[in-house]
Amino acid sequence: MSNKLASDVDFKLLDVVFVFTTQSELFLGRSYKLLSVLEFNSTRKRMSVILQDEEGKLLLLSKGADSVMFERLAQDGREFEDKTKEQMHEYADAGLRTLVLAYRQLDEEEYKSFNEKFMAAKNSVSADRDEKIEEAADSIERDLILLGATAVEDKLQNGVPECIDKLAQAGIKIWVLTGDKMETAINIGYACSLLRQGMKQIIITLDRPEIIRLEKGGNKDAFAKASRDSVIYQINEGKKLLSSSSTESFALIIDGKSLAYALEDDVKNLFLQLAVGCASVICCRSSPKQKALVTRLVKAGTGKVTLGIGDGANDVGMLQEADIGVGISGAEGMQAVMASDVAIAQFRFLERLLLVHGHWCYQRISSMAYASFSGQPAYNDWYLSLYNVFFTSLPVIALGVFDQDVSARLCLKFPMLYQEGVQNVLFSWLRILGWMFNGVCNGVMIFFFCTTALQHQAFRKGGEVVDFAVLGATMYTCVVWVVNCQMALSVSYFTLIQHIFIWGGIALWYLFLLAYGAITPTLSTSAFMVFVEGLAPAPSYWITALFVVVATLIPFFTYSVIRMRFFPMYHNMIQWLRFDGHADDPEYCQVVRQRSVRPTTVGVSARIDAKLHSQPAASRRESS
């Protein structure tokens, strides 16, 4: 605690500052009635309460970051500013986190006017509600009197320096995005081995005399222009220093005010070039939005995979912006964990997560065909269980029992058909492998077509996006359609039973979705109401299913047509004969017999063939 306090303020008010609660009264030796609470947020970087003591005096007590508190002090409230800043620098050098405390007394009219404006803003339901609340709070958090400063030790967790050292050896570039003061951030950088003695530091800051004079002068436009020019100049000077030596290591340290200008559209690429060339980067006094913007800049500007790790609510934006978010569960709450992809208990566990499991995962994925999704099954368990029972088995049974490539009459008329079985031209390894290849191609096409069609857009007009349950049901719908339609294309002789089994299997799938989805979610799990509420009302589901089924069937249909038309087998020739109406024409039938799998050497047909072959030769002899 700073050893200088305003003499007309009771010391116990400092305790009141840290007991901001929603209780109506606070008892700390004296009784204070809590009238209003101006909440903390990452933009305001401060929190205030308005109290009324036993004598009816109104007090505004405020605590916050030095970057916002000092600029809100009254001219007669800066008596201890220099001494407090000096002590805060000492605290920061020791690696402590600091807060500035200030107060001012309010009169009743001022509080009444503020309260009306504040309550109107809180009760507002318009889109700019937060801006109105902040504007009301900003109007009263002014002309404060400095009370002092506090410092809190924030120790590093065990194993942090060793973990960072191993990550650096692994070739991982480490950036620190923190809300601490620059001195605190530098001290922590040394403590965690991110900075070391002998490393040259490129410091970009707006704490320069000429910038401070413009800020105190009140000319916002001149201050903004000078600040921007100063940041660009410092970045260029840093790049020159970086290019002047190829052997030394550099660390870039930038404060939050400078970072605001460095992230502007026409400056951010220049800043990124400097940052990428440095061995370590520390962005201090960063707001949650700036953390997210820096992460986005690195991800988009370098094309590298980014990992964000944090433990507090102010890290949520960064974790969500990064390719991989790692949340640390602990005293800071669960906001970071809830917004992350992976949760760990301590920072040092990141070492094993990346260097062990990360390496194993990469090695395993390198042996797989496609692994963009997690280990979560795409299909519900009952979908898989009933696939070969109801939705696809009956058409196969019907094909195996009732299908006829040609009629019995034609089988007897063309006994050479039996030679296909003797020669085993249909039930061959080539045919089996062909069907296996067809199945793999169908699966790949259904998977990639469905994921591509549904991945980066709203699934329904309400803006809902696809979850794994909807994606799995959509893919399964396409599988059922494709399998049954290919079965229909393979059937040579349709019967009523085959129609019932093929199209009934498809209809049964939709009936099953309705019935199974209506069961309690403890049994239906991911399929609960998925068709009624998710699939059926969405036009994209029907359009995707139609497109994927047609696109998947086209290669199989094309292959079947080309083979049937240009490379027909013996039974295909007889089918063409029947289709053209020439099944009873002796000449056509004889042509087909001539193209038999194996010419016959005995029997009536062999004698007829021999006679036909001998006639042209005898005619030639007579003519000669």
Side-chain angles (χ1 to χ4, degrees):
M1 179 74 69
S2 177
N3 58 1
K4 295 295 186 180
L5 298 172
S7 58
D8 59 340
V9 178
D10 193 314
F11 180 81
K12 290 186 180 293
L13 291 182
L14 295 178
D15 294 324
V16 177
V17 176
F18 291 99
V19 193
F20 293 171
T21 70
T22 57
Q23 299 174 5
S24 60
E25 294 186 347
L26 301 169
F27 296 95
L28 295 165
R30 299 174 61 180
S31 176
Y32 295 90
K33 186 177 182 181
L34 182 60
L35 301 179
S36 300
V37 178
L38 310 182
E39 298 287 353
F40 172 88
N41 63 46
S42 57
T43 304
R44 286 165 39 78
K45 297 183 180 179
R46 63 190 183 276
M47 177 182 181
S48 302
V49 293
I50 299 177
L51 306 173
Q52 187 177 39
D53 63 10
E54 296 169 336
E55 301 171 357
K57 184 187 299 183
L58 297 173
L59 294 172
L60 169 71
L61 304 178
S62 184
K63 65 175 182 179
D66 59 328
S67 59
V68 297
M69 293 299 293
F70 283 128
E71 65 185 20
R72 297 179 177 278
L73 298 179
Q75 290 299 323
D76 58 351
R78 299 177 179 269
E79 180 181 355
F80 311 110
E81 180 179 4
D82 294 336
K83 183 64 175 178
T84 302
K85 285 184 176 180
E86 180 182 339
Q87 292 175 340
M88 290 183 69
H89 283 301
E90 295 175 4
Y91 296 152
D93 289 337
L96 305 178
R97 293 192 174 188
T98 57
L99 280 177
V100 174
L101 310 178
Y103 88 104
R104 81 180 178 100
Q105 187 171 337
L106 307 175
D107 57 54
E108 292 186 5
E109 289 299 325
E110 183 180 10
Y111 173 71
K112 183 179 179 181
S113 175
F114 156 77
N115 193 50
E116 290 178 356
K117 183 177 181 181
F118 184 65
M119 294 306 295
K122 288 185 69 174
N123 295 328
S124 173
V125 293
S126 60
D128 59 347
R129 177 179 179 273
D130 293 338
E131 288 79 1
K132 290 179 179 180
I133 293 176
E134 186 168 343
E135 182 182 350
D138 184 71
S139 66
I140 202 169
E141 293 175 324
R142 294 184 177 276
D143 299 327
L144 304 175
I145 299 174
L146 179 63
L147 282 171
T150 64
V152 180
E153 184 178 11
D154 189 7
K155 290 185 178 180
L156 289 175
Q157 294 179 356
N158 294 332
V160 171
E162 294 81 2
C163 177
I164 290 180
D165 180 61
K166 289 184 179 179
L167 294 179
Q169 292 182 42
I172 298 174
K173 189 72 172 290
I174 302 170
W175 291 33
V176 174
L177 312 177
T178 177
D180 292 331
K181 285 173 59 66
M182 181 174 289
E183 294 82 359
T184 305
I186 292 175
N187 187 281
I188 294 174
Y190 280 111
C192 67
S193 301
L194 197 61
L195 301 178
R196 65 178 187 275
Q197 297 297 331
M199 178 181 285
K200 288 191 174 182
Q201 297 180 3
I202 301 174
I203 299 177
I204 300 177
T205 178
L206 292 178
D207 290 338
R208 297 170 177 264
E210 63 275 12
I211 303 297
I212 295 175
R213 283 196 301 270
L214 286 172
E215 185 178 11
K216 291 183 176 180
N219 190 336
K220 293 184 178 180
D221 293 336
F223 169 71
K225 185 178 185 305
S227 298
R228 187 176 186 278
D229 293 341
S230 176
V231 169
I232 295 175
Y233 173 78
Q234 293 179 69
I235 292 176
N236 287 324
E237 289 299 309
K239 290 186 64 179
K240 291 179 182 178
L241 184 63
L242 198 64
S243 60
S244 64
S245 176
S246 58
T247 58
E248 293 180 306
S249 296
F250 293 87
L252 174 63
I253 304 167
I254 183 171
D255 60 19
K257 290 183 178 179
S258 304
L259 191 60
Y261 296 101
L263 292 175
E264 291 183 351
D265 290 340
D266 54 345
V267 184
K268 62 183 182 182
N269 290 329
L270 195 66
F271 166 68
L272 182 62
Q273 292 173 11
L274 172 62
V276 169
C278 295
S280 301
V281 179
I282 298 177
C283 301
C284 50
R285 279 293 184 228
S286 304
S287 67
K289 183 178 180 180
Q290 286 177 329
K291 292 181 181 181
L293 290 175
V294 170
T295 306
R296 180 184 300 176
L297 175 63
V298 175
K299 183 172 67 173
T302 64
K304 305 294 185 181
V305 177
T306 57
L307 180 146
I309 179 169
D311 62 353
N314 56 349
D315 299 317
V316 168
M318 173 188 67
L319 295 176
Q320 292 181 332
E321 189 65 46
D323 294 301
I324 306 156
V326 178
I328 302 177
S329 58
E332 295 290 336
M334 297 297 292
Q335 293 93 332
V337 171
M338 296 296 291
S340 63
D341 302 302
V342 181
I344 58 178
Q346 295 184 31
F347 184 90
R348 62 188 177 93
F349 296 155
L350 186 65
E351 172 186 329
R352 189 170 183 83
L353 176 66
L354 295 182
L355 304 186
V356 178
H357 296 285
H359 170 71
W360 286 349
C361 184
Y362 175 76
Q363 185 269 335
R364 292 162 182 164
I365 288 177
S366 65
S367 303
M368 304 300 292
Y370 190 80
S372 285
F373 288 80
S374 68
Q376 175 69 43
Y379 303 130
N380 185 282
D381 292 341
W382 280 99
Y383 296 174
L384 298 175
S385 300
L386 300 180
Y387 176 77
N388 283 327
V389 178
F390 292 125
F391 307 133
T392 58
S393 62
L394 295 180
V396 175
I397 295 174
L399 177 67
V401 174
F402 299 105
D403 195 39
Q404 304 173 9
D405 57 350
V406 296
S407 64
R409 185 177 68 86
L410 290 178
C411 285
L412 295 175
K413 190 170 184 177
F414 296 93
M416 292 79 72
L417 276 172
Y418 192 76
Q419 292 185 21
E420 290 184 335
V422 175
Q423 299 298 318
N424 199 21
V425 296
L426 298 181
F427 195 62
S428 63
W429 276 108
L430 182 63
R431 190 176 182 86
I432 294 172
L433 293 175
W435 277 110
M436 293 172 62
F437 177 74
N438 176 68
V440 171
C441 290
N442 290 342
V444 170
M445 292 176 69
I446 291 173
F447 175 77
F448 282 102
F449 282 164
C450 288
T451 53
T452 303
L454 301 175
Q455 186 175 12
H456 297 300
Q457 62 181 7
F459 177 60
R460 296 165 60 185
K461 62 181 180 180
E464 297 91 338
V465 294
V466 170
D467 61 4
F468 81 96
V470 171
L471 177 62
T474 304
M475 289 195 297
Y476 199 91
T477 301
C478 296
V479 169
V480 172
W481 269 97
V482 169
V483 170
N484 283 277
C485 288
Q486 283 199 0
M487 197 66 61
L489 291 175
S490 302
V491 171
S492 300
Y493 180 75
F494 272 103
T495 64
L496 178 61
I497 294 178
Q498 287 174 316
H499 280 294
I500 293 175
F501 283 176
I502 291 175
W503 312 120
I506 297 175
L508 185 61
W509 159 242
Y510 292 104
L511 294 175
F512 170 77
L513 271 181
L514 286 171
Y516 186 47
I519 302 175
T520 174
T522 57
L523 297 176
S524 59
T525 61
S526 61
F528 179 69
M529 302 301 287
V530 69
F531 183 73
V532 174
E533 296 182 355
L535 301 178
S540 55
Y541 163 72
W542 301 103
I543 295 173
T544 300
L546 176 62
F547 170 78
V548 173
V549 170
V550 172
T552 307
L553 289 175
I554 284 177
F556 176 79
F557 180 76
T558 304
Y559 167 78
S560 300
V561 169
I562 292 176
R563 191 194 64 180
M564 179 79 170
R565 188 68 181 88
F566 299 103
F567 307 98
M569 304 187 74
Y570 192 59
H571 66 279
N572 296 136
M573 299 177 192
I574 298 175
Q575 288 174 340
W576 276 110
L577 205 67
R578 182 186 62 184
F579 178 78
D580 292 334
H582 298 303
D584 296 324
D585 191 322
E587 293 184 4
Y588 278 93
C589 292
Q590 182 59 28
V591 171
V592 172
R593 288 195 185 96
Q594 295 298 321
R595 298 185 61 179
S596 173
V597 176
R598 175 184 292 177
T600 56
T601 57
V602 295
V604 178
S605 60
R607 292 198 300 270
I608 295 175
D609 291 338
K611 184 177 179 180
L612 291 174
H613 281 291
S614 62
Q615 284 180 352
S619 301
R620 286 195 297 271
R621 285 195 298 270
E622 291 175 359
S623 62
S624 60

